[in-house]
Each structure stands twice: as structure tokens, then as C-alpha cells.
Amino acid sequence: MDRRTFLRMSGAVPVAGLAGWPPPDDWARLRRRLSGPLFRPGDPGYPEAKQAFFTMYDDRVPAAVVGAARVEDVQAAVAFAARHGLPVAARGGGHSYPGYSTVDGGIVVDLSRFSGIEVRPDGRAVIGAGARLGPIATTLAAAGRVLPAGSCDTVGIAGLTLGGGVGVLDRKYGLTCDHLEAARIVTADARPRTVSKTAEPDLFWALRGGGGGNFGIVTGFTFRTVPIADVATFKLEFPAGTQAALLAAWQEWQPSMPDELWSGLNLDATTSNAGGSFLGTETRMNELVDDLVRRVGTPPTERDGRVLDHLAAMRSFDDPESRPGAVAARAAYVGTSRMLTRPADDPAAVVEVLLGAPGVGTLVDSAGGAIARVGVRETAFPHRKAPASFQFLHGATPADGGEAEARCALAVVRDGLGPEFGTTGYVNYLDPEMPDWARAYYGVNVARLRAVARKYDPRGIFAFPQGLSSPGSTVHMG
């Protein structure tokens, strides 16, 4: 613990924004240094500027929101926060489940103005850290390219990539972070760096799955992309009561499928659905899906299969109804996760746990394929051998019982699963109550990640409750 941290914890340093701390003249000097706007409490636009994706955290009161318009603005914000001992929240898409993309009494660095998307003639894409997946997919598609990523239009590229990046094409092409060639980042010394396999490779390694906010504020990325292609998609709805049969059949069927086929499940008390994508003909896809239906043993009540262009296919998987509490561009829900490390010995017992907590919905994403052909230690993402990820969601509106009740329901599922799930979790589905969170999110890579954090942030400027740095000021990426 450094001197500044001790003083803050002991109360010797005033809380940010109270008792004139930092002094008004210091805020004025920061404002003059910025190209983008600085919003303080009471300023026009402050209530909107401080909002992230989740409405549950609207009561948080940052001391300031820096609308960073260039890298120098990010440098100024980091230097100011370090000098005054203020917490910082770097906000990309703002989809942090625990609300880490905003912070009471500190500085929110809003990266939404870093939204540029450039597709180069060689197929590489240079993308700002504030860009969202919807505009990225649209811009790349116009150039005949695709970046394997998620299908939710409003998710930010920064958080997705830094945590690994799962999506509906990753069995064929790998995770989003597997396509990262370089990143631009402002580290704790307020220095901008461009990192790659040959330039500061340890930091580049950590940024591919090591989670957002642990090592600095990323301002941009350079990715390899792949050629665009039409996608065959399918959706199956089975009768209620078939959840265990569907999970049992699916966990045997999916690993035998070609890399071109990705699939997922949607399970709750009344829902027993499967869907997926196939990079091939509709005829061949239907043959593969017929095999799944035979294994389930019960015909679906509804079945749909079609070939769509890439954009339409991705949008078909962006189902707002699967995210409880979603209203327009914002939402109120919480989540947690586990990784399936091997096929479940008793799928019925798994489903009993999944359905045992009212209000919890389960989204399952298949893995394997190209994901598993990258070594567990080659990038910071540790769950290369997992056949699937399980995400658990619960609404957090007052009608749902609020955030506290939602997290209690999630804990019943998260902690009630069998040994096939182990101590695991996906860092992009952060859960502030995850037991042994460092091991769950980073597995065998946690010690190396902590070493990288100490190297680039020896004073713990970027520490936060589930961060890898030692305590100091705090910075989060959401």
C-alpha cells in the first residue's frame, strides 16, 4: 500500500468532489487541457454523460465524466486521477455487469468518441475502443469482411476483445482476441503505447483475454478479418419438460460437429430451445440438425432454417428478450457464468439446478473447434478446452426484486452445479460475488497476469475489486 492509498483509506485525503477536493482550479486546468468535454455535477449534460448501459447504477455520482476525443485526453485523465488519488472508470460499451464502467466520486473516461472504423485494403481493420459491434459489423460487411465477435449490436469492442470475445463464428475462426494484431493503450504512467507480438509482447499477451481495466485504458485495436459469407441459421423450440433431454443430446452432438457449425441453448422453466449457425449449405445444415432432433427424442414444436446474409444472420441471434429487463438501448439485469469443462455426467441434475432458481435464464454457447486449437497459455484466455460456456441472467428491476435478490438467485445456480463446471467463469460476465474469482476467470494464467499488472502498474493505479493490480486508485473498463 502506497502513501496516497493509506491517506485515502484513513480519511486524511478528502473524498473526490467533497470538501473542495480536488481544488476547483485543478478541475479548471484539466478542462483546459481536454479536446473533448468535461462534465461535472450540475453541468448541462452531466446526467446523460454519466449513464452506462445498466439502469441499476444510475444513482452513482462520478466527480467528472471526461468525454475523451483524442489519446491526449485519456493521458490527461489518467495523470489527473493518479495525482489526486481518484478512482477512474474507463467506459467502452458500458455493459459491465457489476457496473464497473462508472464509479462514485471518481472520473469516468468515456471512450464513445473513439468510434472510428477503418478497413484497409489488406483486410485489416483499425477500430476505436468506443466502437460498438453493430456499426463494426455494418462497416466491415460493406467492405466484404467480418470480424468474429458477438451478435449484440450495443456491446463495445473493447470489453469484448479484452475478455476474449465469444460469438457465433468462433468455432470456425476463433475468439475475437485471436484476431487482434495490435492495441493502443495508455498505461498507469499516462504514456501511450502500441503493443503487439513484437512490441511489449507480455502486455499484448495479457490484453488477449486478461479482462478490461487491468493494465490501462485501451484506445484502439488493429484486427485481422475474414471474408464475408452467407450464413445458414436454424432455430428449434422443444416442448416444456424436454430441457434435460435437450442438454443431454446437445452435449454429445455438438462436439461431433464440423467447425463450421456453432450452436447454443436457451433454457429456463418454460423454455427449451436450440439455435445455431452453419457456414455451408442449408441442405447440409438440416442433415446435421436432424441428428440433434433424433438424439433429443422429441420433435420440436417449431423449427426454422434459412440462409441469410451475414448481417441478417448476426441480428437474428441478437434477441433482446433473452436479456431480461431490456428497454430500448438500456437494461436492468445481472449475470454470472460457469464453463462446462467436460460433458455433464447427469444432465438432468444440471437442469434441476438451472430451473431451481425462479427468474434465472440460461444461455449456453458452444466452444471447441478453432478456440481449442490455441494453447491455454498462448493468450490470457484460459478456457480453451471447455466445450461450452454457460451464462446465467436474472432481471434486476424493482419488479424482479432488485439487484440483491437477483444476485441471490444467480448464486443458487452458480454454486449448485456439479464438478463438470469446477471453479470457472468467463471474465466478460463479471460477477462481484464470484467465489475465488481470480482462479475462475484466469485459471493457470493468473500468476503471469498479476506479474504483468505489477510491471505496468507498480503503484496499483488501476486496481479495482476484481482487478489484478494491488490497491491504489481504481480504473475499470466496462
Side-chain angles (χ1 to χ4, degrees):
M1 181 183 299
D2 63 22
R3 181 175 182 274
R4 184 180 71 250
T5 305
F6 172 78
L7 291 173
R8 291 176 67 219
M9 293 179 65
S10 66
V13 175
V15 175
L18 301 178
W21 181 264
D25 286 350
D26 285 10
W27 286 113
R29 280 192 288 271
L30 175 62
R31 192 185 299 271
R32 288 194 295 271
R33 288 189 62 186
L34 298 174
S35 297
L38 175 68
F39 299 97
R40 300 284 321 282
D43 289 348
Y46 172 83
E48 295 77 21
K50 76 183 183 72
Q51 289 180 352
F53 179 72
F54 290 108
T55 60
M56 305 93 71
Y57 309 117
D58 284 353
D59 59 347
R60 294 186 183 175
V61 184
V65 178
V66 172
R70 58 179 185 165
V71 172
E72 289 84 355
D73 292 353
V74 179
Q75 293 177 260
V78 170
F80 187 89
R83 184 164 61 252
H84 293 292
L86 303 182
V88 181
R91 188 173 69 210
H95 283 64
S96 170
Y97 281 171
Y100 290 157
S101 51
T102 188
V103 62
D104 273 322
I107 297 176
V108 172
V109 179
D110 175 14
L111 297 168
S112 61
R113 292 164 179 81
F114 286 78
S115 58
I117 306 163
E118 174 194 355
V119 186
R120 294 178 174 172
D122 64 1
R124 287 178 171 81
V126 180
I127 301 176
R132 308 287 181 107
L133 298 189
I136 291 170
T138 300
T139 302
L140 266 61
R145 308 297 296 183
V146 170
L147 175 64
S151 57
C152 179
D153 278 0
T154 61
V155 165
I157 189 63
L160 178 82
T161 302
L162 298 174
V166 301
V168 304
L169 303 179
D170 51 14
R171 296 190 75 251
K172 175 64 175 179
Y173 295 115
L175 303 174
T176 308
C177 73
D178 296 335
H179 292 259
L180 184 63
E181 292 201 334
R184 292 163 293 288
I185 181 173
V186 175
T187 45
D189 53 6
R191 174 183 166 188
R193 305 169 188 260
T194 298
V195 302
S196 66
K197 286 186 177 180
T198 57
E200 305 192 72
D202 54 346
L203 182 53
F204 180 66
W205 172 86
L207 294 180
R208 290 176 291 157
N214 280 311
F215 313 101
I217 299 179
V218 176
T219 60
F221 304 91
T222 300
F223 294 101
R224 295 186 312 277
T225 63
V226 299
I228 199 167
D230 290 344
V231 182
T233 67
F234 70 92
K235 294 182 180 179
L236 304 171
E237 295 186 13
F238 290 93
T242 60
Q243 291 91 335
L246 175 57
L247 177 60
W250 180 83
Q251 71 171 2
E252 294 180 354
W253 170 81
Q254 176 62 73
S256 67
M257 293 296 101
D259 293 355
E260 288 77 11
L261 191 144
W262 169 91
S263 68
L265 305 179
N266 185 353
L267 304 172
D268 60 32
T270 60
T271 305
S272 181
N273 296 345
S277 63
F278 181 63
L279 297 171
T281 67
E282 184 178 0
T283 298
R284 179 56 179 152
M285 179 191 71
N286 285 331
E287 293 172 353
L288 298 172
V289 174
D290 286 344
D291 184 27
L292 173 60
V293 172
R294 282 192 295 269
R295 292 171 186 256
V296 174
T298 300
T301 55
E302 294 187 30
R303 176 170 176 168
D304 180 60
R306 63 186 70 185
V307 175
L308 301 170
D309 66 75
H310 176 79
L311 284 178
M314 295 307 101
R315 288 167 182 158
S316 75
F317 290 108
D318 184 16
D319 179 11
E321 293 184 2
S322 70
R323 300 187 293 275
V327 179
R330 306 186 70 215
Y333 63 90
V334 293
T336 189
S337 63
R338 289 294 189 195
M339 310 299 291
L340 183 67
T341 63
R342 57 181 173 81
D345 294 331
D346 188 350
V350 171
V351 168
E352 183 177 358
V353 173
L354 299 183
L355 306 188
V360 174
T362 300
L363 302 177
V364 184
D365 290 303
S366 63
I371 300 172
R373 287 193 287 274
V374 177
V376 170
R377 299 179 189 270
E378 285 186 51
T379 69
F381 182 83
H383 304 300
R384 296 286 178 175
K385 305 306 179 185
S389 63
F390 279 56
Q391 180 181 192
F392 312 111
L393 302 175
H394 193 293
T397 66
D400 299 311
E403 183 183 0
E405 186 169 322
R407 292 202 182 280
C408 287
L410 291 176
V412 170
V413 175
R414 179 197 64 212
D415 301 337
L417 296 169
E420 302 93 344
F421 295 85
T423 303
T424 61
Y426 178 34
V427 70
N428 277 350
Y429 305 148
L430 277 170
D431 172 1
E433 299 175 3
M434 172 70 79
D436 198 1
W437 60 265
R439 179 184 171 197
Y441 295 140
Y442 304 117
V444 297
N445 292 324
V446 65
R448 183 179 174 186
L449 284 165
R450 290 193 188 279
V452 174
R454 285 194 299 270
K455 176 180 176 180
Y456 287 93
D457 185 18
R459 294 192 303 157
I461 300 301
F462 297 144
F464 66 103
Q466 289 182 304
L468 295 167
S469 298
S470 299
S473 308
T474 57
V475 63
H476 314 302
M477 171 69 77

